[in-house]
Amino acid sequence: MSESFSPNWIIEPPHPAQYADEVPLAKPLREVLHERGIQKFYSHQAQAIQTIRDGKSIVLMAPTAAGKTECYMVPVVEAALQNRCSLLIFPTKALSRDQWNRIREFNLLGVRSAVYDGDVIESQRQKVRKDFPHVIITNFDMLHFMLLYPRIWAPFFARLQYVVIDEMHAYSGTVGSHVANVVWRLRRVLEKQRTAQKVKEEFEKEEAEKERAKKEKEDGGPQLAPGSQFDLFGSPIPEDSTPAPPKSLPPVQFICSSATVGNPLEFAAKLTGLPLDSLRLIKGDGSPRGQIHHAVVSEGEESVVTQCLRIAKEMDKKTIIFGNSHNMVERLGMVGERMGLPLAVYRSGLPSDERRTLESAFHSSRIKMLAATSALELGMDVGNADVAILAGFPGTITRLRQRIGRVGRKGQDSYAILIARPNPLDQYYAANPKTYLNGLPESCHAKPDNPHIRKWHLLSAARDWPLEEDDLKEGDAPLVRELIEENFLRKFGDSIVPSAEGTKKARTLSLRSAGERIRLLDASTSRLLGEREYALAIGELYPGAIYLIGGRRYSSLGIDPDEGVARLELIRDADSIYTQALRTKRAQILDVEEEGSWGSIPLSRGKVHIVNEVHGYVRKDSYSGQTLSRKELDEPLVYEFDTHALWTDWSEFSSGSLSDAEGLHALEHVSIAMMPALTGADGSEIGGLSNPEGRIFYYEGSAGGSGVSEIVFSRYGECISMTEERLRTCGCKKGCPSCIFSPQCGNNNNYLDKEEALKFARRGLEAARK
């Protein structure tokens, strides 16, 4: 390692392995595991395997490289050997392939498996459907489509015993609300199919009994039932003493696994719909790891991109540089090429064969430096990588630990370096590196009953299997009526089924959004460039907005809401200008669901109506951040929606003056910047607005909500404590991007007062301590 890069390393000591006593296994299974180098199990692996064997659904919470795969792989293989099936669900296609490679090692035992996702060509999918394997590896997007055709999948579902949801924390937020509904639909289809099968078997048994009685009457006496046996003396053995038929398949068990999260059982219960007391939590860190050297480096005069590449070059080890966006890793690749570094770029959106090639090359060390997005952070075995460089804090402690866990997987010493960008949360961790290493994990959140999400899953559920009154939960009936009025559903006898338009709509459901989507079209060719939720599009695709796609700059001609499209023109010059929306926001309280306090500050949580209006934009220089011009739109773009929010009342400390209003505005900015560290939410999931009287609203940014305000409500004091620390320790005088400035600010970061914000935070903390 180069001597020129020598930060203040924080050493995380090595951790020895903790092994369990012998776990009983069938000899062939044991031999395959021995071939893989697994001679005995870690303590948490043994506990998980036995709990699953006992028929329980589990939540396995263990760090990266702790052998989570074996915890569910052993029961899955044992089920396959009894001709039972398992569904393994992963959040990324790369992780699916990585896990498939592991389970294929059991082919010699007769365990058949297949990947079934969007990268698999249709002819291969047909082969899977023609002769279902024991194990299908997929994702929730594909499971949504599988459920739309339950009769095709009936032979597989009839033998389904295990559903594995790996990397559970990846589903926090809006996607988790979708996932919970997909799982509800899966459990419903399984129940309907198994009930139908039971009714069929009982009917066939009754018909056989009638036929036998008829035959007895015709033959003049009782007849022995088929398969009846005689004892040693020639007397028939009574029917109830014959060997019992095999037991029917037990209820499906769920196996959820995750890195460390704050509320594993509660979140798993929300995703699976299972009662909390039916889930068993398995915690484990029985696996060994080598010494880890941690460092947090604040961005200096160099850009984050240049600093990451320079450090990677000086470290001169096998390195992964993690970027938080496609744009970041593409810039790393472009600048790395100019610097002559052998750097490859890995991200979603690349052709599947190219991703497979990169994975293989990095695992085998043919490539020793990789710039990657979150597509590579989840669970994959990337070989003996030594260094993880993070180009900015990834938003949550959980994701941070996932990225660090990619290195040192073979027990060697490893290095984890965070380059802190000039934003409040990054700088908070730069000032508190031990907090970033040892801080409490975030809690995951989801809102399955979000009506904007639930509505379309009710439509899909009617396509899965006709809806009946008993299928509906509280709040479903009005949504079903809406779907009938919109001609997506229709009544069919006592059931409800989709119309032709409804079936078409169900097939286009996205599991990544909770509202209307806008298609982005090339203005000259009408080629589809992508999609964006309308809620986000109004602040990114107004007329004159500059929008990046694949590193190319486009100018928006505006949004046509009737067509649901935004047309974009390619910008061919190489200037450094970007645009930022100017907004006004209003909030109206619709319903108070919970009230409390933090110290003397009242807290409330409930349903609100938000009006978000984009009325103009500014053009800014990318390098200096200087505002070059300001323009008002001819017609404002407005998005109104109902969601959930937390609101706080600081009126006790506010006189209603201009300086107080500016202080509350700044306090709102910094406290929102801290919330991802407590909730795991993406920054775009949380919006805010404040008024001079002292009220601050923190609202969930998607229509119907995502559940994040419930977590903030319970942890608001921690949020303000972190906010006070950031305001106090930031070295600027009047405010900067490292504290009170926000790229999401609708007022272009005007009307902010750092000193007044610090006063508010201190007064709140003092009142809470009394």
Side-chain angles (χ1 to χ4, degrees):
M1 182 174 61
S2 171
E3 294 296 327
S4 59
F5 180 65
S6 53
N8 295 321
W9 294 106
I10 302 172
I11 307 299
E12 188 175 351
H15 183 281
Q18 299 171 13
Y19 291 104
D21 295 332
E22 186 71 17
V23 175
L25 293 172
K27 185 178 178 182
L29 176 53
R30 185 187 305 279
E31 288 174 352
V32 174
L33 291 172
H34 284 182
E35 284 293 319
R36 292 180 55 187
I38 300 174
Q39 302 295 326
K40 48 188 175 178
F41 290 109
Y42 302 131
S43 53
H44 63 277
Q45 290 176 321
Q47 184 185 2
I49 291 168
Q50 189 55 55
T51 306
I52 295 167
R53 284 174 172 174
D54 290 341
K56 306 297 184 184
S57 291
I58 72 162
V59 181
L60 174 64
M61 194 169 68
T64 303
K68 290 194 289 287
T69 299
E70 284 69 35
C71 295
Y72 58 76
M73 197 68 75
V74 169
V76 162
V77 170
E78 290 176 338
L81 297 177
Q82 299 176 56
N83 202 29
R84 295 175 177 178
C85 296
S86 298
L87 195 61
L88 275 54
I89 305 173
F90 299 99
T92 67
K93 294 171 183 175
L95 186 52
S96 291
R97 266 59 183 188
D98 184 65
Q99 296 300 302
W100 189 36
N101 287 334
R102 299 192 190 189
I103 199 167
R104 281 192 294 181
E105 296 173 1
F106 298 95
N107 285 1
L108 290 174
L109 304 185
V111 178
R112 297 185 299 117
S113 60
V115 173
Y116 195 91
D117 63 21
D119 280 355
V120 177
I121 59 175
E122 180 55 29
S123 61
Q124 291 298 320
R125 287 192 227 166
Q126 288 176 3
K127 287 182 180 180
V128 171
R129 297 193 298 264
K130 187 176 180 181
D131 183 16
F132 288 110
H134 300 105
V135 181
I136 287 182
I137 298 169
T138 189
N139 52 49
F140 278 107
D141 300 87
M142 186 56 73
L143 180 56
H144 160 67
F145 287 102
M146 291 159 61
L147 290 169
L148 295 177
Y149 303 94
R151 288 174 181 80
I152 293 175
W153 287 87
F156 179 79
F157 288 155
R159 295 183 290 134
L160 184 62
Q161 178 163 0
Y162 296 124
V163 176
V164 176
I165 303 178
D166 196 31
E167 306 294 356
M168 175 182 72
H169 61 276
Y171 303 114
S172 185
T174 297
V175 68
S177 304
H178 280 287
V179 163
N181 277 283
V182 172
V183 174
W184 167 74
R185 288 167 49 203
L186 172 63
R187 293 180 63 204
R188 175 176 174 267
V189 165
L190 293 175
E191 181 183 351
K192 297 285 187 183
Q193 287 188 341
R194 293 181 183 189
T195 300
Q197 180 63 28
K198 187 176 180 181
V199 169
K200 179 185 175 185
E201 289 171 357
E202 289 176 354
F203 174 77
E204 290 173 348
K205 184 178 179 181
E206 287 177 7
E207 290 298 303
E209 202 61 41
K210 289 178 184 177
E211 186 64 29
R212 189 172 71 162
K214 180 181 177 183
K215 188 170 178 58
E216 286 177 359
K217 186 175 182 181
E218 290 173 352
D219 293 346
Q223 302 293 313
L224 292 175
S228 291
Q229 300 177 18
F230 296 88
D231 63 19
L232 292 173
F233 303 98
S235 300
I237 299 173
E239 185 178 350
D240 59 3
S241 67
T242 56
K247 289 183 178 180
S248 60
L249 199 66
V252 170
Q253 290 172 244
F254 284 84
I255 303 169
C256 302
S257 74
S258 179
T260 305
V261 296
N263 57 342
L265 283 177
E266 291 81 0
F267 188 58
K270 194 160 281 190
L271 291 184
T272 62
L274 295 175
L276 195 64
D277 59 7
S278 71
L279 293 164
R280 299 293 181 268
L281 179 62
I282 310 292
K283 290 185 179 180
D285 193 8
S287 58
R289 64 169 180 264
Q291 186 167 266
I292 307 176
H293 302 252
H294 296 274
V296 183
V297 181
S298 287
E299 182 185 15
E301 295 181 1
E302 298 175 310
S303 68
V304 171
V305 169
T306 305
Q307 199 164 359
C308 286
L309 294 169
R310 178 181 58 77
I311 291 172
K313 184 177 182 179
E314 292 186 22
M315 294 290 290
D316 193 26
K317 294 179 180 292
K318 190 172 178 182
T319 301
I320 307 175
I321 306 176
F322 282 105
N324 294 334
S325 66
H326 289 190
N327 183 271
M328 172 62 80
V329 298
E330 291 287 4
R331 285 167 56 204
L332 283 162
M334 182 177 64
V335 177
E337 185 178 2
R338 293 174 185 170
M339 293 174 63
L341 295 177
L343 178 74
V345 171
Y346 183 98
R347 61 172 177 80
S348 60
L350 294 176
S352 58
D353 56 345
E354 188 174 340
R355 293 200 306 271
R356 302 294 91 77
T357 299
L358 287 171
E359 291 161 16
S360 174
F362 191 72
H363 191 281
S364 63
S365 297
R366 297 194 305 277
I367 294 174
K368 293 191 174 182
M369 195 179 295
L370 202 62
T373 61
S374 58
L376 204 66
E377 79 180 33
L378 293 171
M380 284 185 60
D381 183 359
V382 293
N384 59 337
D386 304 302
V387 181
I389 301 175
L390 281 62
F393 184 70
T396 70
I397 294 290
T398 299
R399 295 185 66 185
L400 176 88
R401 290 175 181 168
Q402 285 287 122
R403 294 182 176 188
I404 292 173
R406 297 302 93 205
V407 300
R409 291 174 68 94
K410 305 305 178 185
Q412 78 274 29
D413 281 10
S414 56
Y415 302 83
I417 303 158
L418 169 65
I419 310 297
R421 297 166 301 173
N423 65 50
L425 193 53
D426 282 43
Q427 291 302 312
Y428 174 82
Y429 284 120
N432 300 274
K434 290 188 177 179
T435 301
Y436 117 88
L437 283 180
N438 306 313
L440 292 174
E442 305 84 8
S443 295
C444 293
H445 58 282
K447 197 169 184 61
D449 59 353
N450 178 330
H452 299 271
I453 291 172
R454 180 70 177 171
K455 175 180 177 179
W456 303 114
H457 283 284
L458 285 167
L459 170 62
S460 300
R463 177 67 178 84
D464 302 342
W465 200 284
L467 273 178
E468 297 173 341
E469 189 174 343
D470 289 348
D471 296 323
L472 303 183
K473 298 181 178 181
E474 185 179 354
D476 285 348
L479 301 176
V480 171
R481 285 196 296 270
E482 279 182 29
L483 289 163
I484 292 174
E485 291 167 4
E486 293 166 356
N487 197 33
F488 288 127
L489 289 179
R490 60 186 178 86
K491 292 184 177 180
F492 184 78
D494 294 332
S495 301
I496 298 171
V497 297
S499 64
E501 282 300 308
T503 297
K504 183 179 177 182
K505 183 75 174 177
R507 288 172 181 157
T508 61
L509 177 64
S510 167
L511 302 191
R512 301 291 180 272
S513 65
E516 179 187 354
R517 297 182 72 80
I518 298 295
R519 291 177 296 128
L520 314 185
L521 303 180
D522 187 304
S524 58
T525 65
S526 294
R527 181 171 64 92
L528 181 66
L529 299 172
E531 289 187 335
R532 204 71 171 132
E533 286 184 66
Y534 183 76
L536 300 173
I538 66 164
E540 299 172 344
L541 295 163
Y542 44 82
I546 295 174
Y547 191 79
L548 291 175
I549 302 177
R552 308 181 81 182
R553 299 167 68 247
Y554 289 83
S555 176
S556 173
L557 302 181
I559 299 170
D560 185 330
D562 295 329
E563 283 190 64
V565 301
R567 290 181 169 82
L568 308 176
E569 286 184 333
L570 182 65
I571 299 174
R572 301 193 180 277
D573 59 45
D575 63 34
S576 59
I577 294 171
Y578 71 97
T579 55
Q580 184 176 327
L582 298 173
R583 306 170 185 260
T584 57
K585 292 183 282 189
R586 300 186 298 278
Q588 177 188 354
I589 298 170
L590 301 178
D591 184 33
V592 179
E593 297 174 344
E594 186 176 4
E595 291 182 305
S597 63
W598 172 62
S600 60
I601 295 174
L603 304 180
S604 301
R605 185 180 65 79
K607 193 173 182 180
V608 297
H609 181 74
I610 299 293
V611 179
N612 188 353
E613 179 181 287
V614 174
H615 59 82
Y617 65 94
V618 292
R619 291 165 57 87
K620 298 180 128 184
D621 181 77
S622 296
Y623 294 105
S624 66
Q626 180 183 356
T627 298
L628 304 175
S629 62
R630 176 183 175 122
K631 180 173 175 58
E632 293 292 320
L633 299 180
D634 294 335
E635 186 176 345
L637 295 173
V638 180
Y639 177 59
E640 299 187 44
F641 61 104
D642 292 345
T643 187
H644 286 76
L646 158 74
W647 54 96
T648 63
D649 188 352
W650 293 76
S651 58
E652 176 186 351
F653 309 114
S654 175
S655 63
S657 66
L658 177 61
S659 62
D660 281 350
E662 292 175 341
L664 288 165
H665 186 194
L667 185 72
E668 170 210 323
H669 277 195
V670 187
S671 53
I672 288 175
M674 297 298 155
M675 287 177 186
L678 302 174
T679 65
D682 186 87
S684 63
E685 287 186 66
I686 307 169
L689 60 102
S690 52
N691 60 43
E693 290 73 33
R695 177 165 288 171
I696 302 178
F697 284 91
Y698 304 99
Y699 63 86
E700 298 170 12
S702 57
S706 62
V708 68
S709 62
E710 295 178 40
I711 299 173
V712 178
F713 185 89
S714 64
R715 302 185 71 175
Y716 191 64
E718 294 173 65
C719 179
I720 296 301
S721 179
M722 294 171 67
T723 299
E724 188 275 339
E725 196 276 345
R726 178 83 294 263
L727 288 165
R728 173 169 45 82
T729 58
C730 186
C732 71
K733 291 185 178 179
K734 298 290 186 181
C736 70
S738 293
C739 57
I740 64 175
F741 291 172
S742 167
Q744 308 299 326
C745 181
N747 289 311
N748 194 27
N749 286 306
N750 292 315
Y751 316 114
L752 295 167
D753 191 315
K754 176 186 175 183
E755 227 173 274
E756 290 300 318
L758 181 57
K759 288 179 183 177
F760 274 114
R762 284 175 170 169
R763 289 167 184 161
L765 289 168
E766 287 170 7
R769 282 193 287 264
K770 291 180 180 178

